[in-house]
Each structure stands twice: as C-alpha cells, then as structure tokens.
Amino acid sequence: VFLKLNNEFVDDGYTAFDSCGVDITDKVKVKSNVNINKEGIYEISYYVIDDYGFETKAIRKVKVNKGIKSNNGKVIYLTFDDGPSIYTEKLLNILDDYGVKVTFFVTTQFSNYSYLIKKEYENGHSIGLHTASHNFKYIYSSVDAYFNDINKVSDVVFKGGSSNTVSNFNKGIMTKLVKELSDKGYKYFDWNVDSNDTSTTNTDTIINNVINGIKNKQVSVVLQHDIKPA
C-alpha cells in the first residue's frame, strides 16, 4: 500500500478460512507499526491459528512518503500489457534504476515467465489482470468466456480501453463486462494514450507517440507492452 504522508490510513481488511472452508476471520490477530506522520516502509502482520492448531501469517507492507509531485495537476500512469515475457526482467531493472513504479496488466501466454509476476509485485509495482489466453475472439465471445479466461489469470496471480476495437465483432460486450466486473468487486481500467509499440520497432517513434498523447490530458494512462524490446 502506498500512502501519502499525514493521510489517514484505512486497512483494506482481511478474511481467513481453515482448510474445510470455515470462516475463522474472528480469530485473526493483527499487529501494525504504521506511522502516517513519518516517511518509511511499515508492516501490518495478520496471524491466525485454526481449531486444529494449523497457523499462518500474512504481511501487508505500507509505504508512507510525500507523494508524487505533479506538474500542474497532471498525472501519468505507465502500464505494460501482455507479459511477463523475456523482456520483463530487463524492464524491471530499468524501472528500478529510475525509481519509477508502473502497472503490469499480466497474462499467462508465456507461462515460463509467470514467476516474474511476484517480482513485479515485490518491486513495488501494481498488478492488473489482462487476460490468460490473449485470444480476443474467444474472450469477447460472451460474458462466460471472458470470466473463464480472467479467472485463470487471476488464479496465477494469486499463486505467485472500455470500448476497445478488438471486441467490435460482438457489439455491446464491453458494456456488459464492465458492469459484471464491478458487480464482482473488480476495478476496471482502460488506457487513453497509445504508444503504438505493437506497430513500430522505432523507440524514438514510440517515445514521441507517448509525449504527444499526454500533452492535452490531465490524467494519462499510457498503453505499452513488456513483450516488445523497443
């Protein structure tokens, strides 16, 4: 959790179940050293023992800092779709060098690199669900097909644009999906600046696409892909 200095902290909450599916949330003990008045990385630990003596512990890290300085109120979110892939680790190292945090909208299409999802998270980046298969003809064929696919990538993450053109063959599907996602407790995000890094291998062109795309926007969500070397 990233928290701006001196802002109120509200715990996102927790649930606990034993191996038989019995809710034991009321048995959870919570310990926290979060100090909203001082910059630092803090921890909240959640500890529970079930009726059979089995125990488990989870940690939520809270980073308190002064926040991101914005330019005239403008905010730019950098996002990377379709990975992790052969290029993701190199990208993570570059982001670390510059102290930049991004959002990875992940798939499972390159399963040999799925272990990097955990590294993305541990490095302080946000993880979003893109798709499992990246097969748009299947994914957008129906609501059930979409959730069958999204549940697969959700399971992998757990273990380790709203009118987009790729769904045009099934009119109205995105409206249905956005509602269903909200009903199921997901937050839906869409991009509004396209780097076009899937259409060109020229890095300068990609950079210019992004810079031109953000000029007239107060909030920019930039679409990029960590399956592309450029």
Side-chain angles (χ1 to χ4, degrees):
V1 178
F2 292 88
L3 183 68
K4 193 172 181 180
L5 190 69
N6 301 319
N7 277 18
E8 179 185 5
F9 173 71
V10 179
D11 195 322
D12 285 338
Y14 52 88
T15 54
F17 298 87
D18 68 15
S19 57
C20 297
V22 177
D23 191 329
I24 56 171
T25 303
D26 60 344
K27 297 179 182 291
V28 177
K29 298 184 184 302
V30 182
K31 185 177 180 181
S32 171
N33 67 348
V34 176
N35 182 354
I36 64 172
N37 301 311
K38 185 178 180 180
E39 287 189 289
I41 299 176
Y42 302 97
E43 289 188 351
I44 308 171
S45 61
Y46 307 87
Y47 176 76
V48 66
I49 303 178
D50 68 11
D51 291 337
Y52 306 98
F54 295 106
E55 59 185 75
T56 191
K57 182 180 181 181
I59 298 290
R60 174 174 282 145
K61 291 187 177 181
V62 180
K63 185 173 183 179
V64 178
N65 58 31
K66 293 179 180 178
I68 301 169
K69 292 181 179 178
S70 62
N71 182 16
N72 297 322
K74 288 191 174 186
V75 180
I76 302 169
Y77 296 97
L78 300 180
T79 75
F80 292 88
D81 282 14
D82 297 358
S85 76
I86 189 173
Y87 304 112
T88 303
E89 192 150 25
K90 181 179 180 181
L91 173 61
L92 286 171
N93 291 334
I94 293 170
L95 294 170
D96 278 353
D97 287 344
Y98 287 93
V100 173
K101 303 303 178 186
V102 305
T103 302
F104 290 93
F105 286 94
V106 299
T107 71
T108 61
Q109 59 179 333
F110 307 109
S111 57
N112 288 343
Y113 296 96
S114 291
Y115 71 94
L116 287 172
I117 295 173
K118 183 178 181 183
K119 185 171 183 180
E120 291 168 355
Y121 173 76
E122 290 176 341
N123 284 20
H125 304 291
S126 297
I127 307 298
L129 306 180
H130 187 19
T131 65
S133 65
H134 208 255
N135 181 345
F136 295 135
K137 287 294 183 183
Y138 167 71
I139 294 164
Y140 296 122
S141 63
S142 69
V143 173
D144 287 342
Y146 180 87
F147 280 100
N148 285 337
D149 188 273
I150 208 72
N151 287 338
K152 289 178 183 177
V153 68
S154 178
D155 289 343
V156 170
V157 170
F158 181 75
K159 294 173 183 177
S162 62
S163 57
N164 63 64
T165 55
V166 295
S167 65
N168 277 352
F169 66 91
N170 189 359
K171 296 295 184 184
I173 187 66
M174 287 310 302
T175 302
K176 294 176 183 176
L177 290 177
V178 172
K179 182 182 184 304
E180 288 281 343
L181 285 165
S182 298
D183 289 347
K184 293 179 184 293
Y186 287 99
K187 288 188 177 181
Y188 180 81
F189 297 90
D190 207 353
W191 52 269
N192 61 5
V193 175
D194 191 355
S195 67
N196 277 307
D197 61 352
T198 59
S199 302
T200 178
T201 57
N202 186 296
T203 300
D204 289 336
T205 299
I206 294 169
I207 292 169
N208 288 330
N209 288 339
V210 174
I211 291 173
N212 291 330
I214 67 178
K215 279 182 178 177
N216 298 317
K217 293 181 176 67
Q218 285 298 109
V219 178
S220 299
V221 181
V222 182
L223 173 66
Q224 299 164 111
H225 299 79
D226 55 323
I227 61 170
K228 301 292 181 180

